[in-house]
Amino acid sequence: MLAYALAWQHDRELVLVLSDQHAREVARRLPWVDTPVTVRTLTGEPFTLSRSEVLTTSAALEQRTVEPFVLDNRRAAWVERLLADPGLDGLEAHGRANYLSWHHRGLQVLRLSQTRSGLRVQAGVQYSRPQPGHKVVNVVLKGPMTDTELSEILEAVAASVSAGGSLTTRQTEHRLQASIGMSPPAALGLPFLAREYPAYRGPGRPGFIDFLGCDGAGRLHVVETKVGHDPKVVLQALDYGIWLQANETGVRSHRPDWPRPDGMQKEIYLDFVLSAGDQRTAVNGYLPGQLEALAPEVNWRVFVVADLDVHPVALRQIPAEALWRAEPGVTSASVRPPRGRPAA
């Protein structure tokens, strides 16, 4: 509701009448919104939260860490030949909380996960349903893999790599993130990037920042990537920016090699990397009004990606004034004109 309302607000005061639960969720963002917004509960009572209240609540959330899964010695011996095979060379290896995976251009092509009595090996898949005509492997090992199993697994991995990634999904946003992670675009000006950084969008709402970035001056950035239209991308990034501001000390302790500014970071930095995908434009018509509504301490930049298949990915920054104008394949016409200008 807040995402759409801010886009349509223009020069009017915005009043939202919400349940107690939703009133709190909306109110925790409003200290970083500069346009007039009033939240009332269903009883008609106004509901407000200050910045200090929101930051205190965010700082009290338990720090999230994701320890990578490690195979035990017995199961590791079962796949020793697979892990040493040159067919995995050049793939990106990832250790998740409960599995290991290997990716090509951001898409999963091999996954190992422990079962109660064995080790599950999935090859050629991002998810369980393969595309028609493609063979995938999904076996549970109870001991060392056979020559036939090894051959079938490596064949499925090679086939998915030849197909440009997983045989079951194109997952273009994963592909975009992988390209950024492997070759950080100079346009971002963020020499330090951490992909899928564990964070919170608010109490009880854990999530991952697509990229936590740090610029040359030591300022921390939230980088959100989106392929296709998502009218809530601004609020999603703002949620992470608020959490980051409240937990800066803890975040920096996990990245001691990143530069630091003098004192604590008083501003929020949000970077949006957007692509049209199979939509008409990369920037939807709701985004300009939402960004304009943010407080001056929330700094933001918008970048678009014209071609997702180009690696390294090429970014084009869109100036603030250009966001309101329709440009084929890039920006949609905003749903309302800039504030202070006559509305049709």
Side-chain angles (χ1 to χ4, degrees), residues 297-318:
E297 310 87 76
V298 182
N299 302 273
W300 51 265
R301 299 181 297 172
V302 175
F303 301 87
V304 297
V305 179
D307 191 343
L308 290 171
D309 290 324
V310 172
H311 177 77
V313 67
L315 303 187
R316 170 189 166 195
Q317 186 172 355
I318 306 299

Side-chain angles (χ1 to χ4, degrees), residues 43 89 105 110 137 139 141 154 197-198 257 267-268 292 305 337:
T43 62
D89 292 348
R105 295 189 65 191
L110 177 65
V137 174
V139 297
L141 302 177
L154 290 173
Y197 194 90
D257 55 327
E267 297 184 317
I268 291 175
E292 187 186 39
V305 179

Side-chain angles (χ1 to χ4, degrees), residues 143-154:
M145 63 175 52
T146 65
D147 290 343
T148 299
E149 288 170 333
L150 176 61
S151 177
E152 290 179 346
I153 290 167
L154 290 173

Side-chain angles (χ1 to χ4, degrees), residues 90-146:
L91 300 180
E92 308 162 61
H94 295 275
R96 304 305 188 191
N98 54 2
Y99 65 91
L100 302 175
S101 63
W102 286 259
H103 297 241
H104 172 69
R105 295 189 65 191
L107 301 184
Q108 180 176 288
V109 297
L110 177 65
R111 172 174 168 146
L112 305 180
S113 57
Q114 203 160 280
T115 68
R116 182 170 297 180
S117 59
L119 180 66
R120 183 178 297 278
V121 181
Q122 297 166 283
V125 297
Q126 175 83 16
Y127 300 110
S128 58
R129 187 174 64 187
Q131 293 178 356
H134 290 296
K135 179 183 177 181
V136 298
V137 174
N138 187 350
V139 297
V140 177
L141 302 177
K142 303 289 183 162
M145 63 175 52
T146 65

Side-chain angles (χ1 to χ4, degrees), residues 15 25 35 38 65 69 81 85 87 123 147 151 157 168 198 203 236 241 255 265 272 291 301 332 335 337 340:
V15 180
E25 188 63 34
T35 54
T38 300
T65 57
F69 170 69
R81 290 192 298 161
D85 194 278
D147 290 343
S151 177
V157 170
T168 59
Q236 178 177 334
R255 293 289 185 274
Q265 185 168 309
F272 301 91
L291 292 173
R301 299 181 297 172
S332 302
V335 296

Side-chain angles (χ1 to χ4, degrees), residues 228-244:
H229 289 191
D230 184 352
K232 297 177 289 185
V233 65
V234 170
L235 294 184
Q236 178 177 334
L238 179 62
D239 287 343
Y240 287 135
I242 294 169
W243 176 87
L244 185 59

